[in-house]
């Protein structure tokens, strides 16, 4: 009981410290541009890294902030802590419910078990979960993406730009979800040139999720790949990606970002080495869900965001891939048409 009490106390502290949601750094809308606050209260539970990870969580936060401004929702967020027990995630979701937040959005597949339990205990509350499509319920909306399709395109970009015939992939945590990124990336590389070597490594293995929030690990892994001949490295490692970008800067090579257009969100000192990013429009999915709540008609079950609906794609910031954009767009159209089937494993 003492351990459970301690967990609850820590969770309450994190939740209380989160306070009202702050706008994302790239949100230029002022308070004067936003509609008047209404009665709907939205809670968001971030994965490890929370706001400021310049990637996965920040993309979700962007959609939340847009809803707060354009729909007049009151919002609040809290984030997971590295190494926390499942009970802490459950407590975080239940505290949002108890505080009157409905809907509640869980950001990340790691919330799957907790959403399953807490949604059943609160059937009158609408829940959404990002990146988890197997936890189902009448009050659960699953926001899932075709990460392998977007990763195929940046894999093709890596192959077209590589001068050494050697590229790399860094996954944050060795899970089925992140393996979708790896599978798509490798398929894109091989579609351009089957002879290109693809190095691959994961930074941690469940239940250790530190691989999503450890730039030092990302730096070490990327540095090792560059030393072994890679000249482009793609990361799907959340906050650890900052270390990958620094390694690319130090080696005067290329890196590929993930989830957000990281040539806009990463630290300015490393933006020039970000050739492109696999953009996963979590913000669009989050806002779509919240708009459906505002309309009184949230859809239960998996809502898939793929290339057909621009749920995933690639960024062109910096102009580094302007010369191959036509080729990438041809691959994109072939995927949409079904001429190319991208593997997810």
């Amino acid at each position: 009981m003492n351990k459970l009490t301690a967990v609850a106390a820590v969770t309450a502290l994190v939740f209380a410290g989160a306070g009202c949601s702050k706008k994302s750094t790239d949100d230029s809308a002022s308070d004067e541009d936003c509609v008047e606050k209404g009665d709907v209260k939205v809670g968001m539970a971030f994965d490890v890294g929370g706001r400021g990870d310049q990637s996965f969580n920040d993309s979700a936060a962007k959609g939340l902030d847009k809803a707060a401004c354009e729909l007049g929702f009151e919002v609040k967020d809290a984030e997971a802590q590295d190494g926390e027990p499942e009970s802490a995630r459950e407590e975080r979701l239940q505290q949002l419910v108890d505080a009157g937040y409905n809907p509640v959005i869980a950001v990340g597949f790691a919330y799957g078990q907790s959403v399953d339990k807490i949604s059943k205990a609160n059937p009158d509350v609408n829940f959404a979960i990002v990146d988890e499509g197997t936890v189902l319920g009448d009050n659960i909306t699953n926001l899932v993406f075709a990460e392998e399709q977007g990763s195929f395109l940046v894999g093709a970009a890596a192959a077209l730009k590589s001068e050494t015939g050697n590229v790399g992939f860094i996954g944050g945590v060795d899970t089925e979800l992140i393996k979708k990124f790896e599978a798509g990336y490798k398929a894109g590389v091989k579609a351009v040139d089957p002879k290109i070597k693809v190095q691959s490594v994961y930074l941690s293995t469940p239940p250790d999720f530190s691989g999503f929030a450890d730039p030092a690990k990302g730096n070490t892994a990327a540095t090792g790949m560059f030393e072994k001949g890679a000249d482009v490295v793609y990361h799907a490692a959340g906050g650890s990606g900052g270390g990958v970008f620094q390694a690319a800067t130090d080696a005067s090579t290329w890196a590929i970002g993930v989830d957000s257009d990281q040539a806009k969100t990463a630290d300015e000192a490393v933006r020039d080495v970000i050739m492109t990013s696999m953009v996963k429009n979590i913000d669009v999915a989050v806002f779509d869900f919240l708009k459906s709540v505002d309309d009184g008609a949230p859809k239960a079950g998996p809502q898939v965001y793929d290339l057909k609906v621009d749920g995933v794609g690639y960024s062109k910031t910096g102009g580094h891939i302007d010369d191959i954009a036509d080729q990438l767009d041809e691959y994109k159209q072939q995927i949409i048409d079904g001429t190319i089937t991208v593997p997810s494993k």
Side-chain angles (χ1 to χ4, degrees), residues 282-333:
I282 303 169
D283 58 322
V284 174
V286 167
F287 184 81
D288 282 353
F289 167 68
L290 293 176
K291 183 65 169 63
S292 73
V293 171
D294 190 50
D295 294 338
K299 296 179 181 179
Q303 309 300 310
V304 181
Y305 290 81
D306 58 11
L307 282 177
K308 286 184 180 180
V309 297
D310 288 325
V312 293
Y314 67 94
S315 63
K316 300 179 181 179
T317 299
H320 305 306
I321 58 169
D322 286 353
D323 58 325
I324 61 171
D326 288 345
Q327 291 168 273
L328 297 181
D329 286 341
E330 286 180 14
Y331 280 123
K332 176 181 177 180
Q333 192 58 51

Side-chain angles (χ1 to χ4, degrees), residues 239-314:
S240 298
V244 176
F245 300 148
Q246 186 59 57
T249 300
D250 294 340
S252 297
T253 50
W254 290 114
I256 295 176
V258 75
D259 293 334
S260 300
D261 181 354
Q262 294 201 279
K264 293 180 178 179
T265 64
D267 292 339
E268 291 187 11
V270 300
R271 292 181 183 180
D272 288 345
V273 301
I274 302 175
M275 185 175 76
T276 182
S277 295
M278 195 289 279
V279 180
K280 180 175 168 180
N281 293 317
I282 303 169
D283 58 322
V284 174
V286 167
F287 184 81
D288 282 353
F289 167 68
L290 293 176
K291 183 65 169 63
S292 73
V293 171
D294 190 50
D295 294 338
K299 296 179 181 179
Q303 309 300 310
V304 181
Y305 290 81
D306 58 11
L307 282 177
K308 286 184 180 180
V309 297
D310 288 325
V312 293
Y314 67 94

Side-chain angles (χ1 to χ4, degrees), residues 21-258:
S21 173
K22 296 180 180 178
K23 290 183 179 180
S24 299
T25 54
D26 63 347
D27 187 350
S28 58
S30 66
D31 290 338
E32 289 76 14
D33 297 325
C34 299
V35 302
E36 185 177 349
K37 295 297 180 187
D39 297 329
V40 179
K41 298 169 64 176
V42 182
M44 177 170 281
F46 288 119
D47 205 347
V48 173
R51 281 182 182 265
D53 71 347
Q54 303 172 350
S55 183
F56 178 71
N57 289 297
D58 273 354
S59 184
K62 184 178 179 182
L64 180 70
D65 295 340
K66 181 179 180 181
C69 179
E70 297 185 12
L71 304 178
F73 289 171
E74 178 185 334
V75 300
K76 189 167 188 174
D77 58 55
E79 70 179 76
Q81 303 301 298
D82 186 29
E84 69 180 12
E86 187 65 34
S87 56
R89 294 181 185 272
E90 294 173 5
E91 182 74 15
R92 184 174 302 112
L93 297 177
Q94 188 60 54
Q95 283 191 336
L96 286 167
V97 172
D98 291 344
Y101 289 88
N102 181 10
V104 172
I105 304 172
V107 183
F109 65 87
Y111 278 101
Q113 184 177 331
S114 298
V115 167
D116 187 38
K117 180 177 179 179
I118 302 303
S119 65
K120 290 176 180 176
N122 301 275
D124 295 330
V125 176
N126 289 309
F127 291 84
I129 183 167
V130 178
D131 282 350
E132 167 52 64
T134 62
V135 174
L136 305 175
D138 292 339
N139 59 336
I140 301 175
T141 300
N142 310 80
L143 306 176
V144 293
F145 299 81
E147 294 93 351
E148 71 279 7
Q149 293 182 356
S151 295
F152 181 102
L153 296 179
V154 298
L160 290 166
K161 283 292 189 178
S162 177
E163 297 179 355
T164 64
N166 189 327
V167 300
F169 171 82
I170 295 176
V173 182
D174 189 355
T175 64
E176 290 304 313
L177 172 65
I178 304 303
K179 286 178 180 177
K180 289 174 65 179
F181 291 80
E182 180 186 12
Y185 179 69
K186 286 183 174 179
V189 170
K190 299 301 182 180
V192 173
D193 185 353
K195 297 180 181 179
I196 292 180
K197 179 180 179 180
V198 183
Q199 301 181 53
S200 182
V201 69
Y202 287 85
L203 303 181
S204 68
T205 302
D208 178 7
F209 288 89
S210 63
F212 288 136
D214 194 332
K217 285 184 178 179
N219 187 296
T220 299
T223 297
M225 289 181 173
F226 292 135
E227 290 176 347
K228 292 178 181 178
D231 58 354
V232 185
V233 170
Y234 171 41
H235 89 87
S240 298
V244 176
F245 300 148
Q246 186 59 57
T249 300
D250 294 340
S252 297
T253 50
W254 290 114
I256 295 176
V258 75

Side-chain angles (χ1 to χ4, degrees), residues 149 152 191 330-332 334-343:
Q149 293 182 356
F152 181 102
E330 286 180 14
Y331 280 123
K332 176 181 177 180
Q334 289 180 62
I335 294 170
I336 291 174
D337 293 342
T339 306
I340 294 176
T341 301
V342 183

